[in-house]
């Protein structure tokens, strides 16, 4: 069974802080993704990565960066947190094969005060 | 890029009724269409998916239909139960990595 683990379920940070969200998957998946989930807006892709050290912008990359130094780990970085980045953040992974679903972590609910 | 519209945003049914959620997509190259269920406070989980070479797929009380000509696909849940209450997301992709998600449908099944 695929396991995608996010480092924190709840996180509270202050405006201007640098925030790191960590995600680890145990199924040797090539693809990893970071989404932001807000009520009524669905799942919006922030960044994704299809290989170590590779990254691609998603639909809403502004204010975020990512790091993938190892295949199993994908980090989301808020360079200078702002209150409008308060949200639920979901990590996912998948094989780079046609028709393979994405597997999600439990999410991190981030509050920026 | 791909755009996925999902309707309705909320759906209330009585236990035992059927529920239908519809999605339309814009990119005719899209060829994989998964559906996810997200219970309150939990992760989205895949419940069924369909590929473009198939028109319909069933798994017990759940079925998905795809009309490539009209670029729409639908989720059908029969004999709904209270535990079917959740947010359901459709998605589409033309490729091997990213998915474009609909905004979700909150399904409420009343006993």
């Amino acid at each position: 069974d695929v396991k995608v683990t996010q480092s924190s379920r709840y996180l509270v940070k202050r405006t201007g802080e640098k925030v790191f969200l960590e995600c680890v998957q145990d199924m040797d998946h090539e693809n990893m993704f970071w989404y932001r989930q807000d009520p009524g807006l669905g799942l919006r892709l922030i960044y994704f990565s299809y290989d170590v050290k590779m990254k691609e912008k998603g639909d809403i990359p502004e204010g975020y960066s990512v790091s993938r130094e190892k295949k199993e780990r994908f980090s989301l970085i808020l360079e200078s947190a702002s209150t409008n980045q308060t949200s639920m953040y979901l990590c996912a992974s998948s094989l780079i094969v046609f028709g393979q679903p994405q597997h999600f972590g439990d999410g991190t609910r981030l509050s920026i005060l | 890029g791909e755009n996925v519209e999902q309707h309705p945003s909320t759906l209330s049914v009585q236990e035992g009724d059927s529920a239908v959620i519809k999605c339309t997509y814009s990119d005719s190259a899209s060829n994989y269409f998964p559906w996810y269920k997200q219970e309150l406070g939990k992760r989205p989980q895949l419940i069924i998916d369909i590929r473009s070479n198939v028109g319909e797929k069933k798994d017990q009380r759940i079925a998905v239909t795809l009309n490539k000509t009209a670029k729409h696909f639908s989720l059908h849940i029969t004999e709904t139960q209270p535990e079917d209450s959740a947010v359901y997301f459709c998605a589409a992709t033309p490729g091997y990595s990213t998915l474009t998600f609909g905004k979700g449908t909150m399904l409420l099944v009343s006993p």
Side-chain angles (χ1 to χ4, degrees), chain A residues 1 4 10 14 29 31 34 46 48 52 58 72-73 77 93:
Chain A
D1 213 15
V4 179
Y10 302 94
R14 298 223 172 260
H29 285 171
N31 290 327
W34 275 106
I46 304 172
F48 71 99
V52 174
E72 68 270 19
R73 186 179 297 270
I77 304 157
S93 71

Side-chain angles (χ1 to χ4, degrees), chain A residues 13-80:
Chain A
K13 296 292 182 180
R14 298 223 172 260
T15 302
E17 281 193 69
K18 191 169 186 176
V19 181
F20 294 85
L21 302 183
E22 307 286 344
C23 176
V24 177
Q25 50 95 3
D26 67 354
M27 284 303 293
D28 204 34
H29 285 171
E30 296 89 354
N31 290 327
M32 295 190 75
F33 309 85
W34 275 106
Y35 292 93
R36 172 174 172 161
Q37 183 174 24
D38 298 290
L41 297 180
L43 297 163
R44 293 182 292 167
L45 182 65
I46 304 172
Y47 267 98
F48 71 99
S49 168
Y50 54 88
D51 200 356
V52 174
K53 297 192 185 296
M54 305 304 292
K55 60 184 179 184
E56 295 285 343
K57 292 180 180 180
D59 300 317
I60 52 165
E62 297 78 18
Y64 304 94
S65 62
V66 290
S67 173
R68 192 163 182 202
E69 297 296 318
K70 293 185 177 181
K71 190 175 185 180
E72 68 270 19
R73 186 179 297 270
F74 193 35
S75 303
L76 179 69
I77 304 157
L78 285 67
E79 297 291 344
S80 178

Side-chain angles (χ1 to χ4, degrees), chain A residues 37 98-99 102 104-106, chain B residues 31 36 38 41 43 51 96-97:
Chain A
Q37 183 174 24
F98 168 67
Q102 293 182 15
F104 286 86
D106 285 328
Chain B
N31 51 21
Y36 287 82
Q38 186 177 28
R43 67 180 71 186
R51 291 162 176 76
Y96 291 72
S97 56

